[in-house]
Amino acid sequence: MKIVVIGGSGLIGSRLVNKLREQGHEAVAASPKSGVNTITGEGLAEALKGASAVVDVTNSPSWEDAAVLNFFETSTRNQLAYEAAAGVGHHVALSVVGTERMLASGFFRAKMAQENLIKSSPIPYTIIRATQFFEFVKSIADFSTDGNKVRLPSALIQPMAADDVAGMVGRIATGSPVNGTVEIGGPEKFRLDELIRKSLSANKDPREVITDPRGRYVGIEVSERTLVPEDGAQLGETRFEAWLNQPADQISSLAKGA
Ligand SMILES: NC(=O)c1ccc[n+]([C@@H]2O[C@H](COP(=O)([O-])OP(=O)(O)OC[C@H]3O[C@@H](n4cnc5c(N)ncnc54)[C@H](OP(=O)(O)O)[C@@H]3O)[C@@H](O)[C@H]2O)c1
């Protein structure tokens, strides 16, 4: 199969391209670095020629409210229009578990707009909603840091390894469109404050985590189950502890998509 991975140079995209190639598929890594830009349309027609599926694993360079909304709306509209012209039969997009519960955030309003454009287009699709990546856990701490303290609620979180995300996205992209949403998550649930404590301590980061029911997750309030998927979500295998204990050279080669 020819599968175009839009955002193919990113954290998930680079892993996905490698996995698809290992399985013998023709995977094209498409992003501004390789001359394909979903905002301007540059390179899209050429990249999509003969493609069976397109996987959108882009992310916006800016999380500012108007900029991120403009990114996901323009990028998605352009992809869908070029896919219709090229006769692509499956549009796969990576979104986030609980998006509709986090609309206080401009980022999640933008992800919701992306999902709605896909649902209202005639292209057969699968929306994959993933939980937070292990690789994103440090950013969660950074968002809630004030001085040497990190204030976070004890809401549930079920994070997963980027490598598992890529494997599951690959399986879905090479299958039939479900014309609906599939949830994927990690093998274990944690308390958000506990997860960040584990992560900081493993990295010898001196910041102190304060459990605070009014603490915010990436700037917004979350309740007990905001971040966790429904029963029936497909679960990755990699445990957080095992991921934390990976040798550093393995992590850096994974980060490079090797
Ligand atoms: N972080 C999490 O925990 C989490 C959880 C669930 C879902 N997600 C979703 O997963 C998706 C992928 O995240 P990620 O962390 O893998 O992203 P990432 O590493 O930040 O990569 C973003 C990719 O988007 C590309 N891109 C940016 N502007 C583009 C444009 N105009 N045209 C085409 N490509 C463009 C970049 O290309 P260049 O390298 O060429 O600039 C890069 O390949 C996101 O949509 C995110 O919402 C994230």
Side-chain angles (χ1 to χ4, degrees):
M1 273 177 87
K2 177 177 173 182
I3 300 166
V4 179
V5 179
I6 313 263
S9 60
L11 176 72
I12 302 301
S14 56
R15 289 165 169 75
L16 175 58
V17 165
N18 286 340
K19 284 180 193 291
L20 291 170
R21 286 181 184 159
E22 277 164 24
Q23 291 161 19
H25 296 291
E26 181 190 351
V28 176
S31 79
K33 278 187 188 135
S34 59
V36 181
N37 190 321
T38 56
I39 299 301
T40 61
E42 182 199 350
L44 265 179
E46 188 57 33
L48 264 49
K49 260 186 209 155
S52 308
V54 168
V55 183
D56 180 1
V57 282
T58 58
N59 211 345
S60 172
S62 163
W63 278 36
E64 187 274 321
D65 284 3
V68 67
L69 183 62
N70 182 54
F71 177 86
F72 278 111
E73 284 188 337
T74 309
S75 171
T76 305
R77 278 205 186 95
N78 281 338
Q79 288 177 59
L80 295 167
Y82 281 93
E83 285 167 28
V88 173
H90 192 185
H91 180 86
V92 179
L94 188 57
S95 189
V96 189
V97 163
T99 289
E100 78 285 1
R101 300 188 283 271
M102 295 187 277
L103 299 178
S105 147
F107 181 82
F108 291 102
R109 291 196 293 278
K111 293 300 288 184
M112 199 76 239
Q114 176 191 18
E115 291 192 5
N116 288 337
L117 285 166
I118 294 165
K119 288 177 186 166
S120 60
S121 117
I123 313 272
Y125 70 92
T126 306
I127 292 169
I128 304 170
R129 282 184 164 191
T131 57
Q132 291 65 39
F133 311 152
F134 293 160
E135 289 78 356
F136 184 64
V137 165
K138 184 181 173 295
S139 303
I140 299 176
D142 295 345
F143 264 103
S144 298
T145 295
D146 183 8
N148 196 36
K149 301 207 181 334
V150 189
R151 293 187 185 278
L152 283 165
S154 61
L156 293 169
I157 184 164
Q158 197 171 334
M160 63 190 300
D163 216 39
D164 286 347
V165 176
M168 291 158 103
V169 171
R171 271 200 294 284
I172 291 167
T174 51
S176 303
V178 306
N179 293 313
T181 303
V182 173
E183 287 191 324
I184 62 175
E188 310 161 275
K189 286 189 183 67
F190 296 90
R191 295 282 167 188
L192 185 51
D193 53 342
E194 272 305 310
L195 178 75
I196 303 303
R197 256 181 222 115
K198 274 185 205 295
S199 163
L200 295 182
S201 131
N203 289 304
K204 302 195 175 17
D205 185 320
R207 285 177 286 174
E208 181 193 0
V209 178
I210 311 282
T211 307
D212 179 352
R214 286 168 307 154
R216 291 172 169 233
Y217 163 76
V218 301
I220 57 168
E221 282 177 22
V222 290
S223 54
E224 179 85 352
R225 300 194 62 83
T226 301
L227 301 174
V228 291
E230 302 291 327
D231 294 344
Q234 298 175 31
L235 304 184
E237 286 180 357
T238 310
R239 292 180 177 272
F240 188 59
E241 203 73 34
W243 179 83
L244 277 177
N245 291 326
Q246 284 178 120
D249 58 340
Q250 197 181 334
I251 293 174
S252 77
S253 68
L254 283 172
K256 287 179 201 135

